[in-house]
Amino acid sequence: MSKYQHIQEACYKANMQLPELNLVLFTFGNVSVADRSLGVFAIKPSGVPYKDLTPAKMVIVDFDGKIITGDLRPSSDTKTHAVLYKEWEKIGAIVHTHSTYATAWAQAQRDIPIFGTTHADHNTVDIPCAPPMSDDMIKGNYEFETGYQIINCFNERKLSYEEVEMILVGNHAPFAWGQHGDKAVYNAAVLEEVARMAYLTEQINPKAPRLKDALIDKHWQRKHGKDAYYGQ
């Protein structure tokens, strides 16, 4: 058995959840799963339909984006994943989709406002939208620079990637992450649903107010174990 089989299987399982959750169309998305002890991650191959995927087709790549093993070309977003794994050492899996509502907010270059408690159950801040990439970054190593586009946004806003496990990349689409594949996919699904709810909220009431600070604080307490009730 290959020493990479466990992350190939986890990566395959996580990728197959994306079409089941309606987070991807055709091949518009990818999941990667890392093994920190081996210094590598498994990622979906580029352009392969989900119905044709198998665990063995997941490509193994190191944290510099170098292919370690695999017969197929890894996702075009591989260098973005590699940068995030290298810089954020507690991430175990990353999801990138072009899910409809989250991508629409990214294309609008807007943070997703925290309108309600569903959002606050998962984040106590607006979901950030990283500013569009500079021309110099675009002309350079685009996928590599996308990783730093994400990291720079978190640094500028003084956000923790361990607490806020999702982002919109301006003019592009969403990324989410977690300690393992299932959590990263869960976060991607939550991001899409919160984006949908926020869109509908603004259609019903364009002047809808942001969630009250008292409710945001209450949900922060729940999230951090300072309340006996932990949500549904």
Side-chain angles (χ1 to χ4, degrees):
M1 184 179 78
S2 166
K3 64 180 178 180
Y4 305 122
Q5 184 174 341
H6 64 296
I7 55 171
Q8 287 178 308
E9 290 178 349
C11 184
Y12 168 76
K13 176 186 174 185
N15 271 285
M16 294 307 290
Q17 291 182 64
L18 299 187
E20 292 174 2
L21 293 168
N22 294 317
L23 295 176
V24 296
L25 180 68
F26 302 121
T27 60
F28 298 176
N30 49 72
V31 183
S32 66
V33 176
D35 184 319
R36 292 283 177 182
S37 66
L38 296 175
V40 299
F41 61 94
I43 192 166
K44 178 185 176 292
S46 179
V48 178
Y50 285 89
K51 65 182 179 59
D52 296 333
L53 291 178
T54 65
K57 289 181 179 177
M58 302 298 109
V59 186
I60 303 299
V61 183
D62 69 17
F63 295 155
D64 290 315
K66 178 183 176 182
I67 297 174
I68 302 302
T69 184
D71 298 327
L72 299 171
R73 182 167 58 92
S75 166
S76 59
D77 299 298
T78 295
K79 290 182 179 179
T80 304
H81 290 238
V83 167
L84 295 178
Y85 282 126
K86 195 168 186 178
E87 296 292 335
W88 289 346
E89 296 180 353
K90 295 184 179 180
I91 290 179
I94 299 169
V95 177
H96 174 50
T97 75
H98 286 252
S99 59
T100 302
Y101 287 91
T103 299
W105 284 90
Q107 291 178 169
Q109 300 179 32
R110 286 189 58 191
D111 296 355
I112 301 175
I114 182 167
F115 283 131
T117 59
T118 306
H119 184 142
D121 280 334
H122 299 90
N123 279 298
T124 54
V125 297
D126 296 350
I127 296 169
C129 180
M133 192 180 290
S134 69
D135 289 350
D136 288 342
M137 292 172 74
I138 293 170
K139 292 174 183 177
N141 191 333
Y142 177 72
E143 287 77 17
F144 176 84
E145 295 291 1
T146 300
Y148 283 102
Q149 184 183 9
I150 293 169
I151 291 167
N152 291 343
C153 178
F154 268 65
N155 290 341
E156 289 165 5
R157 301 195 189 199
K158 296 181 171 57
L159 297 174
S160 165
Y161 73 88
E162 294 178 72
E163 293 184 7
V164 181
E165 296 180 310
M166 54 190 70
I167 191 172
L168 308 176
V169 175
N171 294 142
H172 188 181
F175 282 80
W177 50 86
Q179 293 184 343
H180 49 76
D182 286 345
K183 182 61 188 301
V185 171
Y186 174 85
N187 287 334
V190 166
L191 172 54
E192 175 63 6
E193 185 62 13
V194 167
R196 187 179 74 90
M197 289 179 176
Y199 168 77
L200 293 172
T201 298
E202 290 199 348
Q203 300 310 299
I204 297 168
N205 180 6
K207 296 182 180 180
R210 196 169 182 271
L211 186 64
K212 293 170 60 174
D213 286 343
L215 282 170
I216 294 173
D217 290 344
K218 182 66 174 180
H219 284 261
W220 187 93
Q221 291 170 5
R222 290 180 183 176
K223 181 177 179 180
H224 290 78
K226 296 185 178 182
D227 196 299
Y229 175 69
Y230 286 79
Q232 297 177 0

